Amino acid sequence: VYPGTGPFRHKSLEPGIVRKLERNPDYWNPALPYLDGIEIYHLDVGPKTGAACLAHTIDFCWGIDTISEQKAKNIRNLHTARIFPHAPHGLWFNFKKKPFDDVRVRRAMALVLDKAALADAVQESIPQVRAGWLLPTDPFFQEYWAKVQEQPGWRSPTAEDLAEARRLMKEAGYENGIKGLDFIVRQTISFLEAMAPVVQDVLKRELKIEINIRMVASGAWYEEASRGNYDISTFAFGVTLPHVADYWANSYKTDGGYNFIPYSNPEFDALIAATARESNPAKLKELMQRGIEILDRDIPMIMIAGAFVVDAWWDNVKGHGTATKGGNYWEGMRNEIWWLDK
């Protein structure tokens, strides 16, 4: 809800520092909110938020790093919780631009990038859970991941995988590589910024694909990505439901909310619609398997992982309820019922 229509309304803003909200006297429930106001500090997710939390300059901290999480366990009156959103991240190809209209190039890139290493490289700042076409929050994820995690494209690349990737590039007419690709990276998402140079190095070394990293402010990134002003892009976004019909529709359905690639497959569109209607678990699993086979064939993007968020709060923060119970964070941030015990 835009500030002003919910329990709090905008009071002031210091760009990049703090947004101050005040109690909305016209809120539909006159008994709420309990707080007179909230100050929201603009800190990068990770160590900066962790440091502010440990120093108790902030009462409730969303997105601390794992090192701060370990320190917090030894501090009296400071608590932590791990929140698992339905939030995929990885790399997008622009299907409207060469060479990404060729599935052989997309498959070659998927084969040479070590997704496990990319996820591990940023674990200390933003913890990651490896993901594939199904997200870790999906009820069928564990069964799916056990089958695919050692398959080409998901496992750490072997000599065989690298050789196959080079063969595909040669077959597609890119034996001598590709130069000058525009790689946009969304700023303020620290793990995406950290992954970008690793991706750049691997593609150049293994496939002679040379990409130019272009850092883009978070708000501007949405405009660039949605308009197709890129060749390759990092992505990270969240969806509301852990159901495959929701997160597949956002990413892969024709004109889906986050389908900025844009990928379009009528067969897959029909399958997504069928998953939304299917209540029988066995039949739903069959539909999902068909969808996985299509995605394995088309390689619409490179999936890397899903981030989980570490929250921390001091004892004086009360009423946070489901916001710290380990569920999806956009289901529990009802700060209208929060209060402070000073």
Side-chain angles (χ1 to χ4, degrees):
V1 178
Y2 189 83
T5 61
F8 296 94
R9 65 185 183 183
H10 174 76
K11 181 179 180 181
S12 65
L13 171 66
E14 295 180 64
I17 300 176
V18 62
R19 176 188 291 274
K20 295 183 179 180
L21 306 178
E22 63 182 4
R23 190 179 191 276
N24 184 0
D26 299 320
Y27 190 50
W28 67 270
N29 186 340
L32 297 175
Y34 295 137
L35 296 174
D36 292 327
I38 295 177
E39 295 182 357
I40 303 172
Y41 288 88
H42 299 176
L43 297 173
D44 292 344
V45 174
K48 289 184 179 179
T49 297
C53 186
L54 296 178
H56 201 172
T57 58
I58 296 178
D59 295 305
F60 185 94
C61 310
W62 185 92
I64 69 173
D65 58 294
T66 52
I67 294 176
S68 295
E69 178 190 25
Q70 293 304 312
K71 292 180 179 179
K73 293 180 179 179
N74 298 317
I75 298 177
R76 186 180 178 184
N77 299 328
L78 181 58
H79 311 275
T80 65
R82 292 188 170 191
I83 312 300
F84 291 84
H86 324 306
H89 68 261
L91 298 174
W92 281 335
F93 312 108
N94 190 333
F95 273 50
K96 291 186 176 181
K97 295 186 178 181
K98 291 185 177 298
F100 302 117
D101 57 342
D102 193 323
V103 69
R104 293 169 295 186
V105 175
R106 303 196 300 268
R107 187 176 302 281
M109 290 175 61
L111 285 169
V112 302
L113 288 171
D114 190 336
K115 291 85 171 174
L118 287 170
D120 289 344
V122 296
Q123 285 290 350
E124 289 188 352
S125 58
I126 302 293
Q128 312 284 305
V129 181
R130 285 294 316 282
W133 304 127
L134 300 187
L135 296 183
T137 48
D138 193 288
F140 296 118
F141 174 78
Q142 294 301 331
E143 180 182 347
Y144 157 76
W145 193 242
K147 294 178 180 177
V148 306
Q149 62 183 324
E150 293 303 324
Q151 292 181 3
W154 299 114
R155 66 191 178 192
S156 293
T158 64
E160 180 183 0
D161 296 336
L162 298 177
E164 173 63 8
R166 296 185 188 107
R167 187 196 68 79
L168 288 167
M169 291 292 287
K170 181 177 181 179
E171 183 181 289
Y174 297 103
E175 181 179 9
N176 296 321
I178 305 164
K179 293 184 178 181
L181 295 180
D182 180 29
F183 181 21
I184 64 171
V185 178
R186 181 181 170 190
Q187 289 179 303
T188 71
I189 309 295
S190 57
F191 60 88
L192 297 181
E193 294 182 19
M195 287 178 180
V198 180
V199 171
Q200 182 185 47
D201 175 68
V202 171
L203 293 180
K204 182 176 181 179
R205 180 161 29 90
E206 300 296 347
L207 300 179
K208 302 177 185 177
I209 296 177
E210 297 184 15
I211 57 180
N212 302 316
I213 295 176
R214 178 162 60 98
M215 306 300 291
V216 181
S218 189
W221 174 86
Y222 278 98
E223 292 185 11
E224 292 287 87
S226 62
R227 293 173 180 173
N229 295 333
Y230 71 94
D231 294 311
I232 308 171
S233 177
T234 57
F235 73 85
F237 62 86
V239 295
T240 306
L241 303 175
H243 196 285
V244 71
D246 187 38
Y247 64 80
W248 274 5
N250 270 277
S251 294
Y252 311 117
K253 183 181 177 181
T254 303
D255 297 325
Y258 282 98
N259 187 356
F260 297 159
I261 320 173
Y263 172 70
S264 181
N265 183 326
E267 179 186 4
F268 198 80
D269 289 348
L271 193 143
I272 292 174
T275 63
R277 297 190 299 266
E278 187 54 69
S279 60
N280 182 294
K283 292 181 179 178
L284 176 60
K285 188 185 295 187
E286 290 178 7
L287 292 170
M288 292 168 67
Q289 183 56 45
R290 284 169 49 197
I292 289 167
E293 291 169 0
I294 294 172
L295 296 173
D296 279 339
R297 182 191 69 205
D298 291 353
I299 314 292
M301 62 179 66
I302 293 180
M303 283 292 303
I304 295 175
F308 64 85
V309 177
V310 181
D311 286 348
W313 66 97
W314 289 85
D315 255 353
N316 61 310
V317 182
K318 306 295 183 180
H320 43 74
T322 56
T324 54
K325 297 299 183 184
N328 197 357
Y329 49 71
W330 20 80
E331 295 169 357
M333 301 298 280
R334 295 294 300 272
N335 51 26
E336 60 184 354
I337 58 173
W338 291 18
W339 55 281
L340 293 177
D341 182 12
K342 292 281 191 179

